[in-house]
Each structure stands twice: as structure tokens, then as C-alpha cells.
């Protein structure tokens, strides 16, 4: 297999699907409350140092071998006061939320866990501990994922429906996809859910956010006041809501933490935003499991044979005829750094066209000469390729009168005698009349100009052929 590039820069492409949110909602606002208090780095939890991430302690550093009393106290505030303030806020407004619950934190918070369940909130897994997974060996991370699910189930009585690690490794998404969860969220790459093919499993991904997130109160650059948080949420909401009004409904994720937004001066901005969002028609406040259930029913995944995953023989067999009788173009394209971006018609066309454009002039001339005359003898003898037959038929070139056929034959002969290759045009972009008009006009061109024009038309023909077989 030639080198393959794993990152997906295409996603839903230029025309994302219509979300079709329930009730015709113009936007889905997914509010996530991270419950991490009691799951952070701490000597009491068997860790080698104290926590240093996402707190109001400026410039916090881990303390190796020591407990950090101030840091612990800030996390304790989230459990003791912040959570309950947020619980009153959301239950009072009948807004369901999704909890990202660290399993060990939930085990240390029985009253909070019970309150989450009584409110009908979804409790997803936020991993076993709120620690960095960057350098964690794959087998250890797999073990911790399994233990997180076991402990979560033991504490809440139900297996988690979804997953978000947050401080993840390169393996996290793949390893969590192995667990058969309804959704995972360790990506920040879209405004809509999407499907990820993880081996034999079709895994639903619901992207999350690090910017519409109160963590920015504890990072630089970030929010200083609740009003700044409100303004950012409002601006994001306004853009997405307007897109929904235009028929392109999106999802808006908001990330919260008990110890951060649970502070009085910060939660004021969230309250203003909720007032604002709830004043609009067509706003859906789902849990992430609700989004997953809707997406699964409305936009089920459909697998197709992906060019970037084919072996060489299959790739050339499938795409060797895209450029007429020139499989060498597919052979060379296969050796490019293909990836998910090339699994679409536009993407693969770019890869094939690059090989055509970079080829010496004599090889490109060979491609031009491989094309048949329009309505010529090969067409009459039904010896065209399947693609060429369909293309010529699209402009009724397979149903010419004797006079029309004689006209085409004369133009073909004159054009080829002057330029040394057959007249080439993307027939499906034209009618019989416009083809004849182009034929007469282009005969007068100098051969250098006509060579460049014919090459552009060859690329366009290839593009149209790929659009017949790829998304």
C-alpha cells in the first residue's frame, strides 16, 4: 500500500446534509457539564503529583510528591457549590444536559450522581481519571477505558452511552470506538455529527468544542468576565441560527465545568445566554444521546468503496479508464499521499489530474490521441468504451442523420489533419449544436492553443466520469 494520509479535511464536503432536527429546529444546542472533581491528579488518587490544569490558580504547576491544598480546594468548590448552582439553573429551566463524568469522580460523588439521574441527564464517560493520556501505552489506555466503563456502570447502574476523554492520545478515538458506544466526542472538527469507519464498526462522532467552553476562563487567551462568555456564546448562536434559517441547521456545543462556570460571576454570563437562546423559536436543547438517536435514524451510514483504501490492482482496475485508455495515470496517482480527501470525485480527480498535468507532452498527446472521433467510425461500429458510448449518447450523437454524420466526419478529418489529434470536448456539458459550434471555432486555433484546450477538456471528461461513481 502506498503512503496514506489519515487526516480527513473533507468531512461533509461543500454540501453538508440537512440535519432535519426534530420539530424543524433551526439549531441544536448541546450543553455539556464536565464532572471532574475528585478525578483529577492528586496523591490521594494514587498519582505522583498534584493537578495543574483548568483552575483559577494562575500559572499552576504540578507539585511532584505533594498534595496541593489550594488546587484541591478549588476542585472541591466545583463539587460542593458549583454543581448544585448549575443543577438548579438547568432543572429550573427544564434544559437537559449531558454529563462528561470521570468514573472515579462519580464514585466519590453519590449525591451529585443521583441528582443527575433524577433530572434525566445523560451521564457519559469522561474516562477513568482526569489525567493526561498523551504518553499512555496503548494497552494501558485500553485497560483504563474498560475499567472506566466497568466503574461507571457500577456507580450509575447503566453503561455509558457516550465518551469523551479530553486529554487524549493518538489512540483514544480508535480505542473508544472498540467499545460499541452510541457516540464519541474526542474531535473538534465539525458543526454536525458524522460517521467514522473504525474497522468493521460504523462509529458516530459528535464533535465537541474547546472555544465555546468555560475552560477559557482558565486559559490564555480567554474570558475575564461572564459578559465576555455571554457575548461569545451569543455570536456563535447567531451565526448558527441564521444558517439554520437558511436551511443548513447545525449543532452548537457548549462546554462547562462545575469549578469554573459554577462561580457566581461566571455563571451570570451563562444565564444571559440561556435567556437569549430561549427567547428564539426553533431551538432544540438535546442531550448528546438524543442527537445520536436522531442522527442514526435520519442519516444512517452508507459505506462505499474508498479509493484511498484500495490496493493497487483494484485502484487501477476501477480508475484506469477515467482518462481514456490511459491506465498509467491511475498507476502513478496511486503512489501519491492519498487519504480521505481523495475519496470523493473532486478529490480523486485532483490526484489523477496532477499526474496527467505533470506528464511529458508526448504522454499527454498519447491521451489525446486515445480519444475517439465524435460520431466517428468507432461509434458506428459500437467499439467505443462504455464511458464514451454513454457520453456521446447524452448529446444524441448516436442518433445523427446521414447529413449530420457526414458533417461530423468532415470536421473530424479537417481538425485531425491540422492538429494531429482528435477534437475533444466534454460532451455532457454541451448540446449537439454547441458541439458543432465549438468544432468550427476551434479548428482555427493554433495547435499549441488547441493542445492546451483539449487537455482541459480531457480533465473535464474525467471529472464527470468520477462524479458518476464517487460522492
Amino acid at each position: 500500500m502506498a503512503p496514506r494520509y489519515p487526516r480527513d479535511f473533507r468531512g461533509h464536503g461543500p454540501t453538508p446534509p440537512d440535519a432535519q432536527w426534530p420539530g424543524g429546529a433551526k439549531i441544536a444546542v448541546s450543553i455539556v457539564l464536565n464532572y471532574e472533581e475528585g478525578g483529577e491528579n492528586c496523591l490521594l488518587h494514587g498519582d505522583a503529583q498534584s493537578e495543574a490544569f483548568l483552575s483559577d490558580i494562575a500559572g499552576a504547576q504540578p507539585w511532584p510528591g505533594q498534595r496541593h491544598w489550594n488546587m484541591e480546594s478549588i476542585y472541591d468548590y466545583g463539587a460542593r457549590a458549583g454543581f448544585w448552582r448549575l443543577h438548579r439553573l438547568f432543572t429550573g429551566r427544564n434544559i437537559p444536559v449531558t454529563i462528561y463524568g470521570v468514573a472515579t469522580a462519580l464514585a466519590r460523588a453519590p449525591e451529585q450522581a443521583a441528582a443527575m439521574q433524577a433530572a434525566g441527564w445523560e451521564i457519559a464517560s469522561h474516562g477513568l481519571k482526569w489525567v493526561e493520556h498523551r504518553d499512555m501505552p496503548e494497552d494501558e489506555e485500553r485497560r483504563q477505558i474498560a475499567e472506566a466503563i466497568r466503574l461507571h456502570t457500577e456507580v450509575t447502574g447503566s453503561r455509558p452511552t457516550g465518551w469523551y476523554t479530553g486529554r487524549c492520545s493518538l489512540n483514544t478515538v480508535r480505542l473508544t470506538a472498540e467499545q460499541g458506544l452510541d457516540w464519541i466526542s474526542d474531535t473538534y472538527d465539525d458543526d454536525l455529527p458524522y460517521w467514522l469507519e473504525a474497522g468493521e464498526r460504523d462509529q458516530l462522532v459528535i464533535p465537541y468544542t474547546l472555544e465555546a467552553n468555560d475552560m477559557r476562563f482558565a486559559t490564555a487567551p480567554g474570558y475575564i468576565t461572564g459578559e465576555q462568555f455571554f457575548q461569545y456564546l451569543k455570536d456563535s448562536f447567531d451565526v448558527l441560527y441564521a444558517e439554520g434559517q437558511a436551511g443548513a441547521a447545525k449543532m452548537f456545543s457548549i462546554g462547562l465545568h462545575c469549578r469554573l462556570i459554577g462561580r457566581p460571576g461566571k455563571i451570570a454570563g451563562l444565564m444571559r445566554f440561556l435567556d437569549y437562546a430561549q427567547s428564539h423559536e426553533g431551538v432544540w436543547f438535546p442531550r448528546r444521546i438524543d442527537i445520536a438517536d436522531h442522527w442514526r435514524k435520519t442519516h444512517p451510514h452508507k459505506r462505499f468503496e474508498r479509493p484511498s483504501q484500495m490496493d493497487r490492482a483494484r485502484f487501477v482496475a476501477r480508475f484506469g479508464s477515467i482518462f481514456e485508455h490511459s491506465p498509467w495515470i491511475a498507476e502513478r496517482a496511486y503512489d501519491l499521499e492519498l487519504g480521505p480527501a481523495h475519496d470523493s470525485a473532486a478529490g480523486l480527480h485532483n490526484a489523477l489530474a496532477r499526474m496527467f498535468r505533470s506528464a511529458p507532452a508526448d504522454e499527454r498527446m498519447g491521451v489525446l490521441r486515445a480519444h475517439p472521433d465524435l460520431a466517428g467510425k468507432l461509434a458506428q461500429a459500437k467499439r467505443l468504451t462504455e464511458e464514451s458510448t454513454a457520453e456521446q449518447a447524452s448529446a444524441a450523437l448516436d442518433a445523427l442523420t446521414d447529413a449530420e454524420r457526414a458533417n461530423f466526419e468532415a470536421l473530424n478529418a479537417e481538425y485531425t489533419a491540422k492538429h494531429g489529434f482528435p477534437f475533444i470536448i466534454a460532451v455532457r456539458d454541451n448540446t449537439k449544436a454547441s458541439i458543432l459550434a465549438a468544432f468550427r471555432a476551434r479548428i482555427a486555433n493554433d495547435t499549441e492553443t488547441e493542445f492546451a484546450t483539449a487537455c482541459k477538456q480531457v480533465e473535464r471528461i474525467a471529472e464527470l466520469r468520477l462524479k458518476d461513481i464517487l460522492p
Side-chain angles (χ1 to χ4, degrees), residues 11 35 39 79 121 151 161 173 181 185 218 261 268 270 287 332 345-346 352 357 374 379 385 394 424 443 446 460 465:
Y35 195 89
W121 296 354
L151 181 58
T161 48
V173 170
L181 296 153
S185 284
I261 201 68
L270 176 62
R287 303 167 304 171
R332 295 176 191 177
L352 295 171
R357 294 166 190 162
L374 290 182
T385 64
S394 70
I424 301 171
I443 285 177
D446 63 84
R460 175 59 178 163
R465 289 177 178 180

Side-chain angles (χ1 to χ4, degrees), residues 322-346:
I322 295 299
F323 280 76
E324 192 85 1
H325 296 297
S326 303
W328 60 266
I329 295 176
E331 284 275 3
R332 295 176 191 177
Y334 184 82
D335 291 325
L336 292 175
E337 186 188 72
L338 301 184
H342 299 96
D343 291 337
S344 67

Side-chain angles (χ1 to χ4, degrees), residues 47 53 146 153 179-180 183 206 274 279 310 328 337 412 441 444 470:
D47 302 301
F53 191 47
T153 305
Q179 294 296 325
W183 57 267
I206 304 179
L274 295 178
S279 72
M310 295 178 180
W328 60 266
E337 186 188 72
N412 279 325
L470 290 173

Side-chain angles (χ1 to χ4, degrees), residues 5-20:
Y5 190 80
R7 293 167 63 188
D8 184 355
F9 296 122
R10 183 173 188 270
H12 289 300
T15 53
D18 178 5
Q20 301 179 50

Side-chain angles (χ1 to χ4, degrees), residues 51 78 182 264 317 417:
E51 186 57 70
D182 291 318

Side-chain angles (χ1 to χ4, degrees), residues 4-271:
R4 292 297 177 254
Y5 190 80
R7 293 167 63 188
D8 184 355
F9 296 122
R10 183 173 188 270
H12 289 300
T15 53
D18 178 5
Q20 301 179 50
W21 299 132
K26 300 172 180 64
I27 185 172
V29 181
S30 170
I31 296 178
V32 171
L33 179 59
N34 292 264
Y35 195 89
E36 299 157 352
E37 290 73 15
E40 78 280 7
N41 281 289
C42 178
L43 265 65
L44 296 174
H45 305 157
D47 302 301
Q49 69 281 316
S50 63
E51 186 57 70
F53 191 47
L54 290 189
S55 80
D56 287 321
I57 298 176
Q61 296 295 320
W63 289 6
Q66 296 185 58
R67 290 176 62 189
H68 193 318
W69 184 259
N70 291 350
M71 181 64 72
E72 291 178 20
S73 182
I74 284 177
Y75 271 75
D76 292 351
Y77 182 92
R80 293 160 57 110
F83 172 80
W84 297 110
R85 182 171 285 122
L86 290 158
H87 182 268
R88 290 190 293 271
L89 173 65
F90 291 122
T91 56
R93 290 173 179 262
N94 293 316
I95 294 177
V97 304
T98 291
I99 298 290
Y100 285 171
V102 174
T104 50
L106 292 173
R108 297 183 174 108
E111 288 189 86
Q112 290 91 337
M116 297 170 192
Q117 292 178 306
W121 296 354
E122 175 190 21
I123 308 179
S125 183
H126 198 7
L128 182 63
K129 300 174 68 173
W130 175 232
V131 298
E132 182 63 69
H133 292 70
R134 178 187 62 190
D135 298 320
M136 189 176 290
E138 181 175 334
D139 288 345
E140 174 60 16
E141 186 172 8
R142 181 181 283 109
R143 185 196 70 78
Q144 290 200 17
I145 290 170
E147 175 59 15
I149 291 174
R150 186 204 67 77
L151 181 58
H152 184 110
T153 305
E154 180 181 281
V155 169
T156 68
S158 300
R159 194 174 189 271
T161 48
W163 187 281
Y164 175 76
T165 295
R167 299 159 81 175
C168 62
S169 76
L170 193 62
N171 300 314
T172 300
V173 170
R174 175 173 52 83
L175 294 178
T176 51
E178 293 176 358
Q179 294 296 325
L181 296 153
D182 291 318
W183 57 267
I184 58 178
S185 284
D186 272 304
T187 70
Y188 314 97
D189 51 7
D190 215 298
D191 297 312
L192 287 172
Y194 62 88
W195 292 97
L196 176 70
E197 294 178 1
E200 296 300 313
R201 176 169 174 75
D202 296 333
Q203 177 63 61
L204 183 63
V205 177
I206 304 179
Y208 188 46
T209 176
L210 295 180
E211 38 85 40
N213 192 312
D214 69 355
M215 67 177 287
R216 300 293 289 276
F217 281 110
T219 60
Y223 310 120
I224 304 300
T225 66
E227 183 64 24
Q228 290 176 330
F229 189 48
F230 160 69
Q231 191 62 51
Y232 191 85
L233 296 182
K234 176 183 178 297
D235 289 346
S236 300
F237 177 91
D238 286 345
V239 170
L240 294 171
Y241 189 82
E243 291 180 4
Q245 288 180 308
K250 300 294 196 309
M251 178 186 70
F252 180 26
S253 292
I254 299 173
L256 306 172
H257 299 76
C258 300
R259 65 191 175 280
L260 296 175
I261 201 68
R263 295 281 179 174
K266 296 169 184 170
I267 201 171
L270 176 62
M271 290 173 173

